[in-house]
Amino acid sequence: MTIKKSFETIAVNGVSGGDRRTGAISFPIYQSATFRHNGLNNSTGYDYSRAQNPTREETEKTLASLEGGNEAIGFSTGVAAITACINLFKAGDHVILSDDLYGGTYRLFSETYKEFGLEATFVDTTDTTSIVEAINENTKAMFIETPSNPMMKVTDIKAVAQIAKEHDLLLVVDNTFLTPYYQRPLELGADIVIHSGTKFLGGHHDLLAGFIVANDNNIIERLRRIHMSTGATLSPFDSWLVLRGIKTLHIRLDRAQENTLKVAKFLDNNPKIEKVYYVGLENFDGYELNKKQATGFGATLSFRVKDKSLIEKILNNVKVIRFAESLGGVETLITYPITQTHSEIPEEIKKRLGVDEYLLRLSVGIENVDDLINDLDNAIGK
């Protein structure tokens, strides 16, 4: 009899429940580049780790199960996963993207692959009319982040999926911020889900990883071919680190989200803060929609200060919170998007979005929340 397992149980045990050959509870790190054949045309199923490795396979299958997909593919970084998706297209193809998204994604589409003839249009994907108006005869896909980075804009995945279906387009959703614990885009109509596994999946700021999850066998086969051919594959050790991180994903996210809401409310009530961008605040524009399509709000927020001079003061004076790029780890990080994650976004887009010299982003960790609030309070000053 097959027992239906919950998210938490799959996360803790993985799809295999450990190593069936030895009984090891912690799935082994198969630190091998190549595998011996038992004879001519008699492979063990593993030939060369760029093609597949048992540790990476366990990680991929575990994430696929959590995300509700048929298969997942592990990459060396999140950007490598996005690059593999781009390689599904050819010169002359057109892709529509969220205008508020990770700066590295923007750079890939607007610079690197523009040189190869790929066309990209960045629109406000919270407005379905803008999406439809951007569709051309050569449009092949839509790429969205929700909540977006760093302004936390929420896009209606089901509505965009319907547009994609009507126009025979692929829908790619970057689910890094909420992870499959809080949001499952495939169940809402997405064709491909992307993760920067460096962030919440790994959860400890000690690895680089990226993942693609999909249901369509043709898409998966094409992506696996790209994956093996381009070589940006997830290493056995980093695969194991992601597996370890996933075991506590639900616990870390729940605690971090709890902290984030308290920090958001503190900032929202501070007279020196102009606005807080957090999906978990009931007065935030995307709050109701996010509740409709997700089970959580995540652990990332942005906030705008009233006085620009306060930026340097905060960044120089936080003690518990670390001034560093990235997000999704157990430690709380503060980032200055205009000079860090979004430095290469064109000025006109940054200005329209509000990514300016007054904006900071927080990735809230699992420390004692009073320590985090006191740290911010001291850094902001009276």
Side-chain angles (χ1 to χ4, degrees):
M1 181 178 69
T2 302
I3 300 174
K4 183 176 175 58
K5 297 178 182 178
S6 66
F7 183 99
E8 294 86 348
T9 300
I10 296 169
V12 169
N13 293 292
V15 294
S16 299
D19 185 30
R20 293 173 183 172
R21 186 167 66 93
T22 65
I25 298 299
S26 176
F27 198 90
I29 305 170
Y30 284 86
Q31 195 66 46
S32 182
T34 190
F35 301 86
R36 185 180 66 188
H37 292 252
N38 293 323
L40 183 62
N41 299 321
N42 186 10
S43 168
T44 62
Y46 304 99
D47 303 309
Y48 192 64
S49 274
R50 177 159 49 84
Q52 189 53 287
N53 175 281
T55 315
R56 188 171 78 235
E57 183 178 48
E58 174 72 7
T59 309
E60 291 173 343
K61 288 183 174 180
T62 298
L63 182 58
S65 178
L66 295 175
E67 193 66 77
N70 284 348
E71 288 193 36
I73 305 173
F75 292 82
S76 53
T77 65
V79 169
I82 296 169
T83 299
C85 279
I86 294 174
N87 282 322
L88 291 171
F89 311 114
K90 63 181 185 302
D93 286 348
H94 174 243
V95 180
I96 298 168
L97 299 97
S98 299
D99 57 0
D100 183 37
L101 82 177
Y102 169 55
T105 304
Y106 180 88
R107 182 171 58 243
L108 280 174
F109 279 91
S110 66
E111 295 181 17
T112 307
Y113 281 90
K114 184 179 180 181
E115 299 294 325
F116 291 86
L118 187 68
E119 300 174 18
T121 300
F122 298 86
V123 304
D124 179 2
T125 53
T126 66
D127 178 9
T128 53
T129 301
S130 296
I131 296 173
V132 173
E133 290 176 349
I135 296 174
N136 300 322
E137 289 184 2
N138 61 334
T139 304
K140 301 299 181 184
M142 294 183 287
F143 186 112
I144 65 175
E145 283 187 12
T146 182
S148 65
N149 181 10
M151 306 309 292
M152 310 300 150
K153 293 162 69 175
V154 180
T155 295
D156 189 331
I157 298 174
K158 271 190 176 181
V160 178
Q162 183 60 37
I163 295 171
K165 185 177 180 181
E166 290 171 358
H167 292 84
D168 194 26
L169 308 177
L170 285 178
L171 175 58
V172 183
V173 179
D174 188 325
N175 199 30
T176 297
F177 270 24
L178 292 188
T179 83
Y181 181 53
Y182 285 148
Q183 181 171 265
R184 291 156 68 98
L186 293 175
E187 295 178 358
L188 298 170
D191 298 293
I192 294 172
V193 172
I194 288 181
H195 288 278
S196 172
T198 308
K199 312 302 192 295
F200 292 102
L201 296 180
H204 293 78
H205 298 309
D206 57 6
L207 65 93
L208 295 174
F211 293 94
I212 293 175
V213 190
N215 280 324
D216 185 276
N217 289 331
N218 180 55
I219 292 174
I220 292 166
E221 185 178 337
R222 290 177 65 194
L223 286 168
R224 283 214 176 273
R225 184 78 174 172
I226 292 165
H227 180 243
M228 184 186 69
S229 299
T230 56
T233 55
L234 187 60
S235 73
F237 184 57
D238 281 346
S239 297
W240 182 85
L241 286 173
V242 174
L243 267 180
R244 183 204 62 179
I246 287 175
K247 288 177 184 292
T248 59
L249 176 63
H250 53 289
I251 297 173
R252 288 186 286 104
L253 269 174
D254 281 345
R255 175 60 181 272
Q257 178 177 261
E258 179 185 328
N259 284 354
T260 308
L261 184 57
K262 292 178 180 178
V263 169
K265 289 179 177 178
F266 160 75
L267 291 168
D268 203 35
N269 290 319
N270 191 298
K272 293 189 176 183
I273 305 304
E274 180 180 300
K275 183 174 176 60
V276 178
Y277 303 86
Y278 179 54
V279 186
L281 291 174
E282 292 186 14
N283 62 352
F284 189 72
D285 285 345
Y287 176 80
E288 291 297 335
L289 175 55
N290 194 82
K291 277 184 65 177
K292 181 180 173 183
Q293 67 185 14
T295 59
F297 306 108
T300 311
L301 66 84
S302 295
F303 64 96
R304 182 184 307 283
V305 300
K306 292 180 179 178
D307 183 348
K308 187 170 65 175
S309 65
L310 194 56
I311 293 290
E312 186 174 0
K313 183 180 178 185
I314 292 171
L315 295 178
N316 287 343
N317 287 287
V318 286
K319 306 300 181 187
V320 177
I321 298 168
R322 330 297 179 80
F323 176 26
E325 293 191 42
S326 200
L327 56 94
V330 293
E331 302 91 354
T332 299
L333 303 183
I334 192 165
T335 301
Y336 194 32
I338 195 169
T339 64
Q340 293 180 296
T341 56
H342 290 67
S343 61
E344 296 185 45
I345 301 290
E347 289 302 320
E348 63 271 18
I349 294 181
K350 283 190 287 196
K351 184 177 180 180
R352 183 172 74 244
L353 294 172
V355 180
D356 56 23
E357 295 172 322
Y358 295 79
L359 188 77
L360 289 166
R361 191 190 72 190
L362 270 177
S363 169
V364 182
I366 63 172
E367 302 96 337
N368 182 287
V369 71
D370 291 333
D371 291 343
L372 297 176
I373 289 173
N374 289 335
D375 195 31
L376 283 169
D377 196 24
N378 290 331
I380 293 170
K382 304 303 179 184

